[in-house]
């Protein structure tokens, strides 16, 4: 279908891409398995990095250097420079569409300092930055009358080969969660914006239940490459019992990290991998760890950190104004994802990706706080513009290879699987095993043991069938499909982590504790599970 762009995912990256594709003349359809306002973007609380002035000696060059340092030698410098240079334009665009940023007394956009930053450059809206950006984008998409198909689960990306043998994208197959029907949607180009895969860690992740990496898995099955899958960032301050995120804005505002003896044991504004390792080591000694913001004062806390107060009261039954907040590190952000080039295009013609599911090589081995919202705006805009340009010039007539019946038969086959193994129990075990063996500290034997368990789970999938055989709103079926995707991505993470025999950023090997210049390259994994390295 000429000039039609499908955006899969309705978080920040997806909605930014949709708006920009629409503005560039494409017919746009947004597809999401939940609803836009439930997207993970709402949990990005701390702010969006941009150098808006030269205050305190800050500069775009300093933003670049902070990002490269955090990335531990793995970021693509030209991509980082592009992102940092575009940052002020990205924030100005968000401001122009109505994002209600917090303001200074002279009405400028307020900025705070986050970990690893030279100066305060994170533009924020209290501690609801991601949520307010997401809601503003959603309002703009509705105003533009862009079609949104809610409660559609991505099954596969549809592709064909041209006369020269090059693969190109031509649409998507979906499962309508409401009706249980298979839907085939044709398109000239497709943008994947489905978020990360850290829900592999299950209850040890700050992410929503929807962060199951469906778009990354579908792209890999379609023949796209993925890269740097071993690099999973652990946020230092998740609530101890629920893994709910307590924003870096709390530390950026001056919060302290304490152990059971009331001692500060780390510089709270170091990059996240260093702070997480320090907390991990305290817990390994038998210490409890806490975030302390009491000294910031009631007025400041209630004005600038209202969400953190609510979350601590709701999930830990503590009042941060007067009490310590019990915390632990939890899987938070996946630096790896679908490999894209300087135009946000994948190795498949017409397939683009943006946001956490994509690897633009700007985060490397460890993402700088405040750069996730920046990335999704900068590269979401780029993906939208380039997908629209591609769609406009798309002239191929599609002769579908796989149609509705093919996917109906696949779902019917899954419903015939036996139910002798409870996959929910396996999913819980997977999360615990990943947190223990593929977490902040790793070593070869434990990684290989975990890979073996994953392979056994994958082989046992025909014994883990769904108990619910109904058609409409079959959440049991959707959760099985998500689990299947997570096993695929878990294997990709493990293969990449086993092969990287060094420590770098968020990937720390006890058996190889130092960085090795041999591995100063990006891990590439293809659909055949072959691991290679590229600079």
């Amino acid at each position: 279908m000429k000039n039609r762009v499908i955006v899969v995912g309705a978080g920040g990256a997806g909605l930014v891409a949709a708006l920009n594709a629409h503005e560039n003349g494409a017919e746009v359809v947004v597809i999401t398995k939940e609803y836009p306002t439930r997207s993970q973007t709402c949990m990005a609380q701390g702010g969006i990095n941009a150098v808006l002035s030269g205050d305190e000696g800050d500069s775009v060059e300093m933003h670049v250097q902070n990002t490269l340092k955090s990335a531990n030698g793995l970021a693509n410098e030209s991509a980082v420079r592009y992102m940092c240079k575009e940052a002020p334009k990205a924030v100005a665009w968000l401001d122009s569409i109505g994002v209600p940023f917090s303001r200074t007394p002279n009405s400028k956009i307020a900025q705070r300092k986050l970990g690893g930053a030279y100066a305060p450059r994170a533009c924020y809206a209290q501690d609801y930055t991601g949520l307010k950006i997401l809601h503003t984008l959603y309002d703009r998409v509705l105003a533009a009358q862009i079609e949104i198909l809610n409660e559609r689960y991505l099954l596969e990306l549809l592709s064909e080969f041209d006369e020269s043998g090059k693969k190109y994208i031509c649409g998507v197959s979906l499962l309508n969660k409401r009706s249980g029907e298979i839907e085939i949607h044709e398109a000239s180009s497709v943008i994947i914006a489905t978020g990360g895969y850290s829900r592999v860690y299950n209850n040890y992740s700050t992410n929503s239940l929807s962060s199951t990496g469906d778009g990354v898995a579908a792209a890999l099955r379609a023949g796209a490459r993925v890269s740097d899958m071993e690099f999973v960032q652990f946020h230092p301050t998740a609530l101890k019992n629920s893994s709910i995120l307590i924003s870096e804005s709390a530390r950026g505002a001056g919060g302290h990290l304490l152990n059971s003896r009331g001692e500060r044991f780390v510089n709270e504004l170091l990059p996240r991998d260093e702070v997480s390792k320090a907390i991990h080591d305290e817990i390994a000694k038998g210490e409890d760890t806490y975030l302390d913001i009491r000294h910031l004062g009631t007025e400041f806390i209630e004005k600038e950190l209202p969400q953190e107060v609510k979350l601590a009261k709701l999930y830990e039954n503590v009042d941060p104004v007067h009490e310590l907040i019990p915390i632990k590190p939890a899987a938070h952000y996946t630096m790896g994802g679908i490999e894209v080039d300087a135009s946000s295009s994948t190795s498949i013609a017409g397939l683009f990706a943006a946001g956490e599911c994509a690897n633009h090589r700007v985060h490397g081995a460890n993402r700088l706080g405040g750069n996730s919202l920046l990335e999704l705006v900068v590269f979401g805009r780029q993906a939208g513009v380039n997908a629209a340009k591609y769609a406009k010039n798309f002239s191929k007539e599609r002769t579908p290879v796989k149609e509705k019946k093919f996917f109906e038969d696949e779902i019917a086959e899954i419903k015939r699987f036996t139910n002798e193994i409870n996959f929910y129990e396996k999913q819980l075990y997977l999360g615990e095993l990943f947190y223990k063996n593929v977490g902040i500290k790793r070593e070869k034997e434990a990684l290989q043991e975990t890979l073996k368990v994953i392979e056994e789970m994958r082989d046992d999938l025909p014994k883990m069938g769904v108990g619910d055989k109904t058609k409409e709103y079959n959440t049991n079926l959707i959760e099985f499909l998500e689990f299947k995707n997570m096993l695929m991505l878990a294997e990709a993470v493990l293969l990449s982590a086993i092969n990287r025999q060094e420590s770098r950023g968020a990937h720390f090997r006890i058996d190889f504790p130092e960085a090795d210049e041999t591995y100063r390259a990006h891990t590439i994994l293809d659909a055949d599970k072959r691991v290679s390295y590229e600079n």
Side-chain angles (χ1 to χ4, degrees), residues 59-236:
S59 65
V60 171
E61 181 61 29
M62 193 60 70
H63 187 183
V64 169
Q65 294 306 320
N66 289 164
T67 301
L68 292 174
K69 181 180 179 181
S70 185
N72 281 267
L74 273 194
N76 179 299
E77 186 170 339
S78 62
V80 171
R81 288 190 178 281
Y82 175 77
M83 180 180 73
C84 296
K85 185 179 178 182
E86 289 293 308
K89 300 176 193 174
V91 170
W93 179 72
L94 291 174
D95 193 31
S96 74
I97 65 172
V99 173
F101 287 110
S102 295
R103 300 282 170 172
T104 65
N106 59 0
S107 299
K108 291 183 179 180
I109 293 174
Q111 295 177 281
R112 57 166 62 112
K113 186 175 181 180
L114 300 181
Y118 170 78
R121 71 168 72 99
C123 308
Y124 63 92
Q126 292 181 299
D127 54 353
Y128 292 96
T129 313
L131 183 145
K132 292 186 178 184
I133 288 174
L134 182 67
H135 282 224
T136 304
L137 290 169
Y138 185 41
D139 286 344
R140 291 298 175 180
V141 167
L142 293 177
Q145 297 184 318
I146 295 171
E147 184 178 11
I148 301 177
L149 300 180
N150 299 306
E151 297 191 312
R152 263 64 166 198
Y153 184 81
L154 174 66
L155 294 174
E156 301 293 353
L157 298 167
L158 304 180
S159 61
E160 293 191 10
F161 294 92
D162 63 19
E163 305 77 19
S164 66
K166 182 175 175 60
K167 182 177 282 190
Y168 64 92
I169 223 68
C170 52
V172 296
S173 63
L174 311 171
L175 177 63
N176 186 319
K177 292 167 69 173
R178 299 172 189 170
S179 65
E181 294 287 341
I182 300 295
E183 296 178 357
I184 303 294
H185 293 267
E186 297 181 28
S188 306
S189 63
V190 173
I191 302 171
I192 302 294
T194 50
Y197 48 90
S198 72
R199 202 65 203 182
V200 171
Y201 292 82
N202 203 272
N203 292 331
Y204 299 93
S205 170
T206 64
N207 282 206
S208 74
L209 294 174
S210 297
S211 297
T212 51
D214 305 309
V216 183
L220 188 56
R221 284 194 297 272
R225 305 191 312 170
V226 297
S227 57
D228 298 336
M229 296 292 286
E230 67 270 39
F231 294 108
V232 179
Q233 184 176 81
F234 282 73
H235 199 287

Side-chain angles (χ1 to χ4, degrees), residues 226-251:
V226 297
S227 57
D228 298 336
M229 296 292 286
E230 67 270 39
F231 294 108
V232 179
Q233 184 176 81
F234 282 73
H235 199 287
T237 56
L239 291 174
K240 180 180 179 180
N241 295 309
S242 63
S243 295
I244 297 291
L245 175 68
I246 294 297
S247 171
E248 190 161 323
S249 58
R251 284 178 288 127

Side-chain angles (χ1 to χ4, degrees), residues 425-440:
E425 292 177 0
K426 294 296 182 182
Q427 189 170 321
L428 282 170
Y429 179 54
L430 170 63
E432 291 168 0
L433 196 63
F434 249 62
Y435 191 68
K436 176 185 174 185
N437 293 345
V438 202
I440 294 171

Side-chain angles (χ1 to χ4, degrees), residues 7 9-18 41 137 191-193 354-356 376-377 380-381:
V7 180
L15 297 183
V16 169
T41 302
L137 290 169
I191 302 171
I192 302 294
E356 191 175 350
L376 69 82
V377 177
R381 295 180 77 183

